[in-house]
Amino acid sequence: MSKKYLYYFSEGSQAFGGDKTAMRNTLGGKGSGLAEMTAAGMPVPQGFTITTEACTQYYTDGRQINAEIQADIFAHVKGLEEITGKKFGDIENPLLVSVRSGARASMPGMMDTILNLGLNDASVEGLAKKTGNPRFAYDSYRRFVQMFADVVMGVSKSLFEEEIDKMKAAKGVTNDVDLDADDLKQLVVIFKKIYEDNEHKPFPQDPNEQLIEAVKAVFRSWDNPRANVYRKMNEIPYEWGTAVNVQQMAFGNSGDRSGTGVAFTRDPATGAKKLMGEYLINAQGEDVVAGVRTPSPISHLKDQMPEVYDQFVEIATRLENYFRDMQDMEFTIEDGKLYMLQTRNGKRTAQAALQIACDLVDEGMISEREAVLRVEPKQLDTLLHPQFDAEALKRADAIGKGLAASPGSACGQVVFSAEEAEEAVKNKTMPKVVLVRLETSPEDIVGMQVSQGILTVRGGMTSHAAVVARGMGTCCVSGCGAIKMNEEAKTFELSGKTYKEGDWISIDGSTQTTGIGSKVSGDSFASGFIGWNGGEVASGSPVDSIAGATYSSNGAFNAINAAIDCYNNEIKGVQ
């Protein structure tokens, strides 16, 4: 094969002669980050990257992976077996991998991921025996069956979630982690039956077949509806394609000394220089970003596993110093051992972009020229988002609290699905809507795009809703656990009152608020009433709730004028 389509993580950093742009364009953002972390000696589970050019070739070949690339994938699996000492599909010591997308431009949640690939009816028994932890083994297998069915074959994940909810109800428990090994073993049987009923064939037992189908699914996800919407919003060219990363699994769901999380080296909402992140104990990565449970702040890890926390802080500092920008990192802890799964330049609000750019100049990391170029002109517009008037807030009734996931304020009529949000705004039946969800999924991108604000029952500061809303400049409050949702009836209950589709609510996602009537430091943001630990929700008509809503002018205009001056000076300097 004349063109090289695959690179081990260990060779990626040296393969492009120091040209980081070429490396990123070929390996994608995730692949290049893994290669650079590996080269720096950080604890990275090993694997290989299938390049963006292989994705382009897949589409050229009629959405098929040609025989040469397939053979190269299997050859790299053999190499990974030698690196890890495990064997793909082995009964005694199985090699399990994740298959994850990674375009050159960050597209959080827009493409697909499959975890625990390589498990089958035989290897799950081997995993249970080797680890002495059958609960962990069958938890991993039921997750894999569900993800493969959903991502690769398009079987609705709601079919599986319904069965999990039934099992929890029968057992009288609330969380997935409360199900035991026998429960999960039974779920595997049920899940495989769902797969067979929908696909009219048994769940595949050959790991090589699983792998090729998963890689094709990730390539296909480059062209899925939500990815196309996100690319259009962010002007990402279609022809770039996505890379695919095949990586040895690190298991955050193997017990109370294991977990998974997402963290930022600085606050992506405000730009403050402090580690901000969240994690879940006994969980896998998708649990955090999907918001299925509300996670713990990263600071709590210092109490639970102090040695892991100290190592993570040291690595986070190294990564920010190396990349000279705020980093968005994913990590897993397996039986007390830390593994880094990803690092990339983090998405941030306009306020944070300005703050971080200025701070990095002050810290001597970047030049003023670089700082100016890092703040996109369209980000400055979001600094003019409406903020609630302090007097109007005093007259409003706060009905709940959650997490201030993305700053700004919003007022609109309640809708319960992305499709309803899009339809209502398009037809002007409800020109301004607030999308209320148990948790958002990547498929909700179209509805999130047209909503004034987003309110979720589950999820934290690093959930999909929070990350995407910050990138879009949309107000978001997440993790309002007091909400009792009835999606079928299109109602939710909060503070003793029931709200239905079309009712008006107001939310405030400013991170600087602490409750109704709270004062805000600085002059950039007014105040807030969704104190969801920073944000609050109020009910009533827009006249009652935000009659005095206004644009916060001083801080925003000062920031914009300063940025414009920088741009003008930069242009003069270039000329």
Side-chain angles (χ1 to χ4, degrees), residues 238-301:
Y238 177 83
E239 59 270 17
W240 280 3
T242 181
V244 177
N245 297 285
V246 178
Q247 185 175 26
Q248 180 189 3
M249 281 297 303
F251 295 101
N253 61 325
S254 60
D256 292 339
R257 288 277 296 167
S258 300
T260 186
V262 176
F264 299 82
T265 55
R266 302 185 187 227
D267 190 321
T270 67
K273 188 179 180 181
K274 62 178 180 179
L275 190 64
M276 197 284 281
E278 297 166 323
Y279 70 101
L280 287 169
I281 291 295
N282 202 10
Q284 290 199 316
E286 294 303 296
D287 297 342
V288 178
V289 295
V292 295
R293 282 189 274 153
T294 299
S296 301
I298 191 72
S299 57
H300 287 187
L301 187 61

Side-chain angles (χ1 to χ4, degrees), residues 146 159 176 263 277 281 306 314 335 352 369 378 403-404 406 451 527 539 552:
Q146 179 177 349
L159 298 175
D176 297 0
I281 291 295
E314 185 267 332
D335 298 327
R369 174 188 174 89
K378 67 180 181 180
L403 300 173
S406 183
S451 298
S527 70
S539 62
S552 169

Side-chain angles (χ1 to χ4, degrees), residues 20 38 49 54 59 98 243 280 341 363 391 417 456 504:
K20 295 187 184 300
T38 297
T49 300
Y59 283 100
S98 62
L280 287 169
L341 305 184
E363 293 163 26
E391 292 303 314
S417 75
T456 71
W504 286 88

Side-chain angles (χ1 to χ4, degrees), residues 153-203:
M153 308 307 295
V155 180
S156 173
K157 58 187 174 187
S158 65
L159 298 175
F160 302 94
E161 295 295 338
E162 287 169 8
E163 294 298 331
I164 295 173
D165 289 341
K166 286 180 187 176
M167 180 71 73
K168 289 190 291 189
K171 297 285 290 188
V173 299
T174 303
N175 296 314
D176 297 0
V177 293
D178 298 320
L179 298 175
D180 62 26
D182 290 336
D183 300 330
L184 295 167
K185 195 171 187 177
Q186 187 178 342
L187 279 177
V188 169
V189 174
I190 294 170
F191 282 12
K192 289 196 297 177
K193 179 68 163 55
I194 293 173
Y195 181 94
E196 188 164 353
D197 288 346
N198 281 270
E199 294 304 311
H200 310 293
K201 59 183 179 182
F203 185 79

Side-chain angles (χ1 to χ4, degrees), residues 431 434 472 506:
V434 173
M472 293 168 58
S506 302

Side-chain angles (χ1 to χ4, degrees), residues 356-556:
I356 291 169
C358 292
D359 286 349
L360 291 176
V361 170
D362 292 342
E363 293 163 26
M365 280 200 194
I366 62 174
S367 67
E368 291 181 4
R369 174 188 174 89
E370 287 176 292
V372 169
L373 296 176
R374 285 189 183 184
V375 181
E376 299 177 20
K378 67 180 181 180
Q379 285 185 303
L380 300 177
D381 173 65
T382 65
L383 291 173
L384 293 176
H385 281 189
Q387 303 293 323
F388 292 123
D389 179 78
E391 292 303 314
L393 290 180
K394 291 178 182 178
R395 298 193 298 270
D397 295 324
I399 58 173
K401 291 181 179 290
L403 300 173
S406 183
S409 303
C411 181
Q413 292 173 272
V414 171
V415 293
F416 290 91
S417 75
E419 294 78 14
E420 290 164 355
E422 183 183 24
E423 191 71 17
V425 173
K426 181 179 178 181
N427 295 335
K428 299 183 179 180
T429 55
M430 289 186 275
K432 293 186 177 183
V433 299
V434 173
L435 179 61
V436 182
R437 301 282 281 154
L438 276 173
E439 70 261 352
T440 66
S441 70
E443 287 81 5
D444 292 331
I445 184 68
V446 174
M448 295 171 73
Q449 184 183 15
V450 299
S451 298
Q452 301 295 306
I454 301 157
L455 172 61
T456 71
V457 181
R458 303 172 185 157
M461 300 289 284
T462 56
S463 66
H464 173 263
V467 172
V468 174
R470 282 195 293 267
M472 293 168 58
T474 300
C475 171
C476 176
V477 172
S478 62
C480 184
I483 289 177
K484 295 179 181 178
M485 181 82 81
N486 187 334
E487 291 182 305
E488 188 173 335
K490 296 184 179 180
T491 64
F492 73 85
E493 184 180 332
L494 186 60
S495 296
K497 183 177 177 181
T498 299
Y499 297 84
K500 63 183 184 299
E501 184 177 73
D503 285 349
W504 286 88
I505 64 169
S506 302
I507 64 175
D508 189 339
S510 170
T511 60
Q512 294 169 314
T513 60
T514 56
I516 290 183
S518 64
K519 297 195 184 235
V520 182
S521 59
D523 59 1
S524 294
F525 298 90
S527 70
F529 67 168
I530 267 205
W532 325 73
N533 205 8
E536 298 175 2
V537 182
S539 62
S541 72
V543 175
D544 292 332
S545 298
I546 59 166
T550 184
Y551 287 99
S552 169
S553 59
N554 292 344

Side-chain angles (χ1 to χ4, degrees), residues 7 11-28 32 35-36 322:
Y7 293 84
E11 65 179 328
S13 183
Q14 303 299 320
F16 298 90
D19 187 339
K20 295 187 184 300
T21 300
M23 178 171 69
R24 185 179 186 84
N25 291 351
T26 304
L27 302 181
S32 60
E36 297 206 69
Y322 179 80

